[in-house]
């Protein structure tokens, strides 16, 4: 079989169609609903960003990249860990974290997921084991450690890292691949290859479009797919996750595309960094439209159902905006308490206080050895 | 009372921690070999297995990011670097992630990670095997930094760190490893931000960290013969720093030498001096003095090492200068 | 006289350097795009080609080690980090290799590498996009560290760095980029270790670095109305630090606020205070004060940013305190 | 063809023999001489280390690993760059740097290659473009940059990095592979795979013995050889170097073995980290003995010639020791001048001094943009 690559996907032209063979209707609907909700959410945030100028933080939107997170959302468990990069919203929703807390966080409010300390690009939702962060490749090593912990604890939970192809430029990425394969960790690396790091195309940074091949050489199981087929993404992620639970670390490389600018609500195509027909090609292969077509053909979706869905989502979004805007600002910060724990419950429990004065602190000396 | 060497005290701290809580894991290159990082991990692998006592690939960056993930998932990892110099690869993991994790999760998630780092000295370690950057760690918010000078403190601070909530760097100076002092057998704690008076004195305060402490004590002995009664305080932890102890001592002696086995500019001696200056600078009877390494990398040749590292006599000279 | 913004001045420095010497090369993510790192590299790729103006893979560690190799082989590389935070991956290359290269080759090989780093501020940059660690670089031997506050200085210090012999970090505060001042057209130098009096005054010295400078100048205006005549000195470079200028000023005013837009503990403000204290501490009429960021990571929310970053009013308060 | 691996080498038993077919006698002799000189040098340093206790620095000896450096020494040019790791002596000699300056450096004397500042593990010899250093993988990235400089300068010199398999554990290594392949740099990565990083065997740190395969996936040309055949090493390194000069970055992975302890003159086999029969196998495949056999069979070497060589080498070593021991100690250090250049000739030439007082330093303000 020929390897899927960005070139092979372009060469194929419009995607022949999502196959729903053997797919439960609820599953298709769940994927569809997740993607539509994420899409509308992003569109609304983009629309609201500048007129209001109240979301004062860098935001990396993910229009066009809805499918992988949709797939993951149906496979990952609450106890599993998910660590992701700067483009957080898709991953945040994949873990089931609430929209209100996201919006309020972006508005810098006390009710935000992190009380306004993190914003969009560093948001976390610890109660659901979700953590984002904006330094490239950081989440990959951290997920690897969380997976190692599961192994040491004998749990059957896994850790997932969500990131873009840019993360594989960093050496830290390959340390993680080596270690995951060495220890056979329960970890899945989900790489959304959207072809660009900011504005720099992959071929400007890497000699070949072969991240999966490299990872395979490191001993990790790899899957390379056309990412905008949400059903295929679901099958692939399911397989990778099942493998990970059985101790087979995996990398899924899903080719996709970002419609919006790299950061912020503005379009950044003035930078001339990508051909407009490339963008057009990928919009023509919209993951939502592709699934919608298949579902419509299979009579799993009709205008009325879609309309109802849209209304439901619009209402949730309106509520989230209202919640965020009406929420209180954070109280004045106690810097020390924010940066350092004020309690040490485990030490209190396990360790004794001794009066050091009662011990002779005189040191006997010896000559240290040469190395 | 039983005496242990500094290295033995570390070993005992790790053994007790692993015994007390099976969430404690140790990772680092060669931690599972017999010689056990200068004896500090010897026996752990035999007792707790090579899963919990893990020889690591030479990948300090991953080792540190992975420790974050482990801590998030409920473990209490201890990392070991045979030389501090090897940890520079891990500074992204430390500064961009570990140190700010608690902060940006608004305290919902904290990281009890202990990073043991050994600072090389002597026998021509040279510029790539002898650096100490405890001042960097003190400068970076979100980390606790211990610079223990005695076996007693080292054991207590390591245990306190392992069973605390925040990421902590333990700076272990190689020259201290074979020095011994009284160490209780129980699992005890030494708290961060609590220094100790190692030698009471009336005339001048020598505020020290780490390997500067035994040197200062020896110098104090000499100076006593000259009629100078020097108080030596061991601040023990660079962050938080025991400001109260420092100010109390200087308030009494009205004279200060700030001693730190680290580089001069923007180092811990500057911080100590700034604390005194902003709180009670005008009470001093003489301008204070810093005793540090020069702003230079470490030379290899033994004769240059001699010149590079401050010794007892250098301390005595500095003290005499302040005494006027 | 022509005014340029800080960003334009940087651009002009780079353009002139590349024009003057084809050994000068620029590397960094996105340096060859139109927007050119906030305008600072715009036009360079068109003029000098994408070999000399190189978009880099997201591999800061390699970018920095490779700059060492380039410099050894006779080039004068300029690296650009869009945020300082991204350079933590390169600290091994900097601390273990670049900073000590000249030293351990006994001066036979030196590394003219210029590392431009931009410090983010505002609009919710948050903990991972706003750090500054100029105090770390000042602490590390072998590096020169510039913290230019004006377009004039920034151009001159970048040129001085590119055509100097030693590795240099240029700390560029994002908030300064759109501020403008008079900048000569010629290729001129501003020397390291030479500060400047930005505003003469008699009552108190405010010793500042970087973005603290314009804030202090504004505060000085306010304070003048209250009858406080504040001298503002801009130290310009954190290493070497212009000790002479600092001491001369404080000797005149006998009062000090040490201001630095970096974390508090073991930062540049501590160094400034220590220098004054050890040289003339007892001449001060009041205990000095530090004006810094708190020992905390940066919050995202605008209301918390307000609280986190010192502003003119905070400076005025500190000054009033020292004035008594 | 089956890939050479540590296992395949062991499986083969004693090496069938170095082939001198088509090899010029002087070439064989040069390889032999280099290896013998290096071997005797190391043996003498080991013998002298403790009784005298005057070489006060960590030393990583390279007994058994003489062949790759021997090969390189005949191919690398004075203008080429060589950067290596902590185990420096073989690489130092490969670049033709003088024995006296090495010994004096180890003795900490003013006449040492770096005036006693560096010692064995960080030694450099700038006049010959040779630089060592003891932080793992550092030399790999630096060599990559030196190669990039050659490309930018349009020179036909190359850069070489010499290191062990341990260096490939670090992520920094893979950043270099990616970049070298991306830019098609004139660089050769010489990896002496001796199976251990300190005492930790490769399989304890990496899931497979396949460094070359990984590098190949990154786009670098790879060669994998039994390293103790000096003639084969020479052919391989020659090919790799020629390729590099033509813009094809290459990795040579040469399997070999360290006889001595990791660091210092003591044997470290008390640590029980390697099977004694493994050591015996590799001693039985001594690169010097293998070449000596072939040369003796081909009548390129006899007892008299060897005797003469040994005497010549012994004399050079004795002289180097005498030189080192009689050399003066370094003068008291001027720390500032050692760490910072005191002159700026290029700036003096190109830049003007201006009286900044003549310019208005008043800043006009503007509000900075959002990101
Ligand atoms: C260490 C580091 N270097 C540089 C950056 C700046 N940066 C932010 S996003 C980005 C590109 C990321 O591309 P990719 O990983 O493919 O994710 P995408 O944005 O395409 O989703 C870069 C280089 C960073 N955040 N961290
Ligand atoms: C960054 C870093 N981590 C750890 C070390 C400690 N260390 C010194 S040598 C060595 C093993 C090197 O093995 P390899 O690269 O295979 O070279 P060899 O010693 O086998 O020749 C290690 C881990 C180091 N020098 N640098
Ligand atoms: Mg991308
Ligand atoms: Mg090895």
């Amino acid at each position: 079989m020929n390897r899927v690559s960005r070139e092979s996907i372009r060469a194929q032209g419009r995607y022949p169609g999502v196959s729903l063979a053997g797919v439960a209707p609820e599953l298709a609907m769940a994927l569809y609903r997740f993607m539509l909700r994420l899409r509308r959410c992003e569109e609304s945030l983009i629309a609201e960003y500048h007129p209001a100028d109240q979301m004062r933080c860098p935001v990396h939107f993910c229009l066009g990249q809805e499918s992988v997170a949709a797939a993951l959302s149906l496979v990952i468990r609450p106890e599993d860990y998910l660590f992701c990069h700067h483009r957080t919203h898709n991953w945040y929703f994949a873990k089931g974290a609430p929209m209100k807390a996201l919006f309020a966080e972006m508005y810098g409010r006390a009710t935000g997921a992190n009380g306004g300390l993190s914003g969009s690009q560093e948001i976390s939702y610890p109660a659901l084991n979700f953590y984002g962060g904006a330094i490239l490749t950081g989440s990959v090593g951290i997920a690897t450690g969380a997976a190692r912990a599961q192994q040491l604890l004998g749990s059957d939970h896994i850790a997932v890292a969500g990131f873009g192809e840019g993360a594989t430029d960093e050496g830290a990425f390959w340390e993680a691949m080596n270690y995951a394969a060495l220890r056979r960790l329960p970890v899945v690396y989900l790489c959304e290859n959207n072809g660009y790091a900011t504005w720099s195309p992959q071929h400007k940074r890497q000699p070949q479009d072969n991240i999966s091949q490299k990872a395979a050489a490191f001993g990790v199981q790899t899957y390379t797919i056309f990412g905008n087929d949400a059903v295929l993404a679901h099958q692939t992620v399911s397989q990778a996750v099942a493998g990970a639970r059985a101790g087979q670390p995996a990398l899924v490389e899903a080719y996709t595309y970002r419609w919006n600018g790299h950061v912020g609500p503005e379009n950044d195509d003035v930078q001339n960094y990508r051909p407009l027909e490339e963008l057009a090609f990928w919009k023509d292969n919209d993951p939502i439209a592709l699934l919608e077509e298949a579902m419509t053909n299979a009579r799993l979706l009709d205008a009325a159902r879609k309309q109802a869905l849209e209304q439901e989502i619009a209402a949730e979004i309106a509520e989230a905006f209202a919640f965020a805007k009406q929420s209180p600002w954070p109280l004045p910060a106690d810097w020390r308490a924010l940066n350092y724990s004020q309690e040490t419950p485990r030490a209190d429990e396990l360790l004794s206080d001794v009066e050091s004065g009662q011990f002779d602190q005189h040191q006997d000396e010896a000559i240290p050895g040469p190395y | 009372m039983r005496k242990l060497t500094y290295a033995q005290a570390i070993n005992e701290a790790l053994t007790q921690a692993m015994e007390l809580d099976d969430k404690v894991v140790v990772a680092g290159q060669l931690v599972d070999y017999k010689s056990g990082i200068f004896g500090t991990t010897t026996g752990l692998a035999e007792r707790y297995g090579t899963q919990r006592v893990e020889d690591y690939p030479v990948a300090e960056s991953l080792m540190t990011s992975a420790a974050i993930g482990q801590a998030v998932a409920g473990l209490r990892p201890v990392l070991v670097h045979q030389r501090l110099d090897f940890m520079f690869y891990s500074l992204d993991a430390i500064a961009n992630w570990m140190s700010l994790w608690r902060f940006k999760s608004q305290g919902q998630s904290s990281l009890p990670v202990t990073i043991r780092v050994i600072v090389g000295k002597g026998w021509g370690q040279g510029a790539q095997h002898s650096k100490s950057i405890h001042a960097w760690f003190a400068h970076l918010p979100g980390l606790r930094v211990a610079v223990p000078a005695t076996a007693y403190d080292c054991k207590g601070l390591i245990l306190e760190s392992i069973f605390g909530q925040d990421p902590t760097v333990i700076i272990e100076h190689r020259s201290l490893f074979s020095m011994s002092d009284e160490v209780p057998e129980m699992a005890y704690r030494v708290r961060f931000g609590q220094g100790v008076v190692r030698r009471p004195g009336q005339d001048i305060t020598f505020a020290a960290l780490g390997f500067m402490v035994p040197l200062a004590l020896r110098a104090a002995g000499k100076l006593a013969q000259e009629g100078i009664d020097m108080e030596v305080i061991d601040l023990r932890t660079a962050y938080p720093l025991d400001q109260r102890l420092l100010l109390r001592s200087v308030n009494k002696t009205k004279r200060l030498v700030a001693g730190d086995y680290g580089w001069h500019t923007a180092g811990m001696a500057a911080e100590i001096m700034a604390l005194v200056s902003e709180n009670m600078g005008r009470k001093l009877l003489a301008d204070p003095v810093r005793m540090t390494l020069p702003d230079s990398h470490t030379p290899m040749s033994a004769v240059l090492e001699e010149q590079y590292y401050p010794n007892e006599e250098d301390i005595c000279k500095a003290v005499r200068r302040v005494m006027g």
Side-chain angles (χ1 to χ4, degrees), chain A, chain B:
Chain A
M1 199 189 72
N2 274 337
R3 204 164 52 88
V4 179
S5 68
R6 186 160 294 278
E7 208 176 277
S8 80
I9 291 168
R10 276 305 288 278
Q12 183 179 35
R14 188 161 201 261
Y15 193 63
V18 169
S19 161
L20 289 175
V23 175
E26 314 79 60
L27 177 73
M29 185 52 80
L31 288 170
Y32 183 74
R33 190 183 183 290
F34 182 99
M35 294 197 291
L36 193 68
R37 177 170 174 265
L38 174 57
R39 173 76 54 89
R40 296 295 175 253
C41 184
E42 296 292 81
E43 288 169 344
S44 316
L45 289 167
I46 289 173
E48 184 73 9
Y49 194 91
H50 268 323
D53 263 2
Q54 289 178 351
M55 287 172 263
R56 302 201 170 196
C57 61
V59 186
H60 305 80
F61 296 102
C62 62
L63 290 180
Q65 299 188 200
E66 294 87 358
S67 47
V68 176
L72 180 64
S73 74
L74 303 183
V75 180
I76 198 166
R77 301 181 187 157
E79 303 85 359
D80 292 335
Y81 288 83
L82 175 59
F83 301 88
C84 80
H85 67 166
H86 52 282
R87 202 172 303 287
T88 58
H89 303 182
N90 42 345
W91 305 109
Y92 178 91
F93 285 142
K95 207 65 181 72
M99 192 186 288
K100 282 182 182 176
L102 169 65
F103 281 36
E105 183 64 24
M106 294 172 68
Y107 275 79
R109 305 302 169 114
T111 55
N114 309 119
L117 289 168
S118 292
S120 167
Q121 65 178 358
E122 301 190 40
I123 197 167
S124 64
Y125 205 85
L128 287 168
N129 293 343
F130 168 77
Y131 299 90
I135 296 296
L136 224 66
T137 322
S139 61
V140 173
I142 297 172
T144 304
R148 172 73 175 149
Q150 302 318 306
Q151 187 175 61
L152 289 170
L153 294 167
S155 102
D156 72 339
H157 306 141
I158 64 164
V160 176
F163 54 90
E165 90 297 335
T168 70
D169 283 16
E170 299 280 6
F173 185 80
W174 302 101
E175 293 184 8
M177 292 305 111
N178 178 61
Y179 184 75
L182 178 69
R183 298 268 182 262
R184 299 188 60 78
L185 296 183
V187 62
V188 176
Y189 302 104
L190 287 184
C191 175
E192 290 190 301
N193 185 336
N194 63 8
Y196 293 89
T198 313
W199 307 322
S200 187
Q202 187 181 355
H203 63 75
K204 219 172 152 205
R205 300 174 284 113
Q206 300 182 4
Q208 300 168 70
D209 171 12
N210 72 336
I211 291 168
S212 307
Q213 285 182 328
K214 290 184 279 191
F218 273 74
V220 162
Q221 172 84 49
T222 60
Y223 304 86
T224 316
I225 60 168
F226 171 68
N228 283 5
D229 178 340
V231 170
L232 177 62
H234 178 261
Q235 285 159 354
T236 309
V237 172
S238 300
Q239 213 177 322
V241 164
R245 288 200 206 283
Q248 175 56 64
L251 171 89
V252 176
E253 183 180 8
Y255 289 96
T256 182
Y257 205 77
R258 153 174 66 71
W259 296 4
N260 45 267
H262 167 70
V263 63
E266 297 85 2
N267 180 309
D268 56 6
D269 286 318
V270 294
Q271 295 293 334
N272 251 327
Y273 67 102
R274 55 185 188 181
L276 287 180
E277 72 271 15
E278 186 183 85
L279 176 57
F281 171 87
W282 283 95
K283 284 198 168 176
D284 193 37
N285 283 285
D286 174 7
I288 299 182
L290 286 175
L291 182 58
E292 188 169 322
E293 266 175 41
M295 288 176 70
T296 309
N297 291 341
R299 298 181 192 276
L300 299 177
L301 189 68
D302 59 18
R305 181 79 180 93
K306 186 172 176 191
Q307 168 85 358
L309 249 183
E310 292 276 17
Q311 278 172 1
E312 187 193 316
I313 290 169
E316 188 189 4
I317 290 173
E319 213 184 318
F321 272 120
F323 174 78
K325 292 178 183 178
Q326 288 155 21
S327 285
W329 294 107
L331 296 177
D334 173 348
W335 301 121
R336 176 171 280 261
L338 280 171
N339 289 275
Y340 298 90
S341 301
Q342 299 304 294
E343 264 135 48
T344 53
R346 198 73 181 127
D348 298 346
E349 191 182 318
L350 295 175
L351 305 179
S352 320
D353 273 301
V354 294
E355 183 38 73
S356 71
Q358 68 184 95
F359 302 103
D360 179 3
Q361 291 163 17
H362 172 81
Q363 288 177 302
D364 293 329
E365 298 191 32
I367 308 300
Y371 326 107
Chain B
M1 154 75 56
R2 179 189 66 147
K3 288 198 169 199
L4 293 184
T5 65
Y6 196 86
Q8 287 165 339
I10 295 170
N11 190 300
E12 187 166 284
L14 296 177
T15 306
Q16 290 181 345
M18 298 194 79
E19 194 64 39
L20 282 168
D21 188 343
D22 57 16
K23 299 290 193 303
V24 177
V25 293
V26 173
Q29 291 145 31
L30 309 181
V31 291
D32 59 344
Y33 289 79
K34 210 162 70 181
S35 63
I37 316 295
F38 310 118
T40 61
T41 63
T42 306
L44 293 179
E46 286 75 2
R47 234 190 261 210
Y48 304 105
T50 51
Q51 289 300 307
R52 285 181 68 196
V53 184
E54 186 185 6
D55 186 14
Y56 226 82
V58 195
E60 291 83 0
S61 171
L62 176 75
M63 185 166 87
T64 311
S65 319
I68 297 172
Q70 292 187 327
V72 169
L75 298 182
R76 295 181 175 271
V78 179
L79 308 182
V80 187
H81 295 282
Q82 186 134 15
R83 289 289 184 293
L84 182 141
D85 312 73
F86 306 160
M87 82 183 299
F88 283 92
Y89 277 126
S90 74
L91 283 180
D92 177 75
I94 291 175
N96 271 326
W97 296 96
M98 197 183 281
S99 75
L100 50 75
W101 194 267
R102 172 185 165 78
F103 174 82
K104 81 192 187 70
S105 76
Q106 207 190 14
Q108 295 171 79
S109 176
S110 58
L111 301 179
V113 178
T114 301
I115 308 181
R116 287 185 47 210
V117 290
I118 297 166
V119 176
K121 172 171 182 279
W123 205 268
Q125 295 294 308
Q128 290 181 330
H129 276 58
S130 61
K131 290 190 277 301
S132 186
I133 51 164
H134 47 287
W136 284 19
F137 295 129
H139 186 55
L140 181 67
L143 292 185
R144 301 188 297 177
V145 188
V147 195
T150 65
Y152 175 93
D153 285 352
C154 199
K155 178 178 168 185
L157 285 163
I158 287 178
L159 283 167
E160 178 75 359
S161 165
I162 292 174
F163 295 117
Q165 300 304 109
D166 293 324
T168 304
V169 181
I170 313 273
I171 304 281
E172 304 169 0
H173 205 283
R174 180 71 183 89
S175 299
L176 295 165
F177 274 55
S178 47
M179 297 176 80
S180 58
D181 50 83
E182 288 189 1
V183 176
E185 273 161 54
M186 71 184 111
Y188 63 93
R189 63 201 301 185
V190 169
R191 298 193 187 240
F192 280 75
Q194 290 191 3
V196 64
V197 179
R198 291 263 174 238
R199 181 191 189 285
Q202 296 300 323
D203 299 339
I204 183 167
T205 298
F206 192 98
L209 276 167
F211 186 58
M212 199 57 100
V213 173
L215 296 184
L217 288 170
R218 266 186 267 156
K222 277 200 189 175
L223 290 163
Q225 292 167 10
E226 303 172 20
I228 299 175
D229 185 20
M230 176 159 92
E231 175 148 313
V232 177
I233 64 174
D234 178 353
L235 293 164
R236 281 177 167 164
T237 62
Y239 201 94
L241 195 74
D242 191 344
Q243 182 171 343
R244 234 172 35 124
L245 178 78
L246 171 67
L247 298 179
R248 206 170 45 202
S249 173
V250 179
N251 197 40
K252 177 177 70 179
T253 63
K254 306 271 189 299
R255 287 189 168 90
L256 171 71
V257 176
D260 178 43
Y261 239 69
W263 295 309
H264 188 82
T265 296
M268 288 312 301
E271 176 61 29
I272 291 168
M273 205 175 269
L275 282 170
V276 168
S277 174
E278 67 197 355
N279 282 287
M280 47 175 295
R282 280 167 313 142
K283 293 202 187 144
L284 292 177
L285 298 174
D287 289 341
V289 162
R290 285 187 263 187
M291 170 80 359
T292 64
L293 306 185
D295 281 337
S296 170
H297 288 287
T298 316
M300 184 283 298
S301 177
V303 298
L304 295 175
E305 279 182 343
E306 268 296 303
Q307 189 189 337
Y308 180 75
Y309 287 110
N311 59 24
E312 291 161 57
E313 193 38 44
D314 297 317
I315 294 178
C316 290
K317 276 190 206 136
V319 169
R320 286 183 207 118
R321 225 172 86 206
V322 179
M323 292 307 300

